[in-house]
Amino acid sequence: MTLGMSDSNFRKPVRKAVFPVAGLGTRFLPATKAIPKELLPVVDRPLIQYAVDEAREAGIEEFVFVTGRGKTAIVEHFDTAYELEATMNGRGKSLDPLEPTRIEPGNLVTVRQQVPMGLGHAVWCARAVVGNEPFAIFLPDELMYGSPGCMAQMMEAYNEVGGNLVSVLEVPKEEVSSYGVIAPGESKGALTEVKGLVEKPKVEEAPSNKIVSGRYILQPEIMGLLASQGKGAGGEIQLTDSMAKLIGEQPFHAVTFNGRRFDCGSKVGFVEATLAIALDREDMGAEVREMAKKMLG
Ligand code: G1P
């Protein structure tokens, strides 16, 4: 039987999302010595909150965090905080700022990735929770800023074409070696057929400058492929390599995100996100603009 072909239309609803958050965050040391990178704040929300908000907006119900040692604070962030809430209540303070941190009881699941063996391995660690359903993946380092959000835009495309989808954006050709890159086929609006996928290609071998930007909707058959996926770029088990094997077996498309993307895996990207979002905020934008003007003289 051809891979996955038992599922005739590949359009089951996407209810679950996997958040690989086991990384050590060494690029942000010493900030990330005791605090997970995903909890560093962009203005007043931790990075992970932006991804969870985006997921929720797209209709995701179940949140699967692939964590590791030292990452428990991420789970705490989405838990009830009795003392804090009681104290705030006692002082007559609004609990509204805590609203985004609430996840329905039973809908937050964590699994551990014991060893850092790559993104493909991290996703595979969630296989028992994902089961036989399509699922979304969010790489929280990539802050996708727009309305509707990136995953909501992808869901709209999924309802049309089903199968597997990745978000893409164009970068200057000399930057492609840091990313997964698609070989594009035909395009229609924001949707592009994916004919091939390569992880961290050399500039001269890259099939395009369209990079995979950290949002995925994948069919469950990916898990079987990941189980036997050998090491790829950087000696890691790469999600991209297993996804490439689905091409030709199942529908596979890319969605160009209509919005802004900030690479919060880099320090400059993090500062850019902070400034851009602060400038965009109704409660502080004007003040930040004045401050920035003064600073730049
Ligand atoms: C990962 C993926 C890559 C993708 C990138 C987006 O790479 O493997 O395909 O383009 O995220 O940020 P990493 O940043 O973990 O090296």
Side-chain angles (χ1 to χ4, degrees), residues 119 139 142 178-180 199-200 212-214 216 238 240 261:
L119 178 59
L139 308 188
E142 298 282 357
S178 305
Y179 300 101
E199 182 67 18
K200 302 193 171 65
V212 177
S213 66
Y216 310 76
Q238 295 291 355
T240 303
R261 167 254 187 179

Side-chain angles (χ1 to χ4, degrees), residues 83-93 95:
E83 285 172 353
L84 179 64
E85 291 177 21
T87 310
M88 286 172 75
N89 267 329
R91 292 181 185 166
K93 290 208 160 142
L95 296 183

Side-chain angles (χ1 to χ4, degrees), residues 25-56:
T26 48
R27 276 198 269 178
F28 282 84
L29 282 169
T32 49
K33 187 180 173 197
I35 295 169
K37 173 179 69 175
E38 295 78 6
L39 290 184
L40 297 180
V42 176
V43 188
D44 51 9
R45 294 182 169 223
L47 198 47
I48 185 74
Q49 185 76 62
Y50 290 89
V52 165
D53 291 350
E54 184 192 328
R56 205 183 264 129

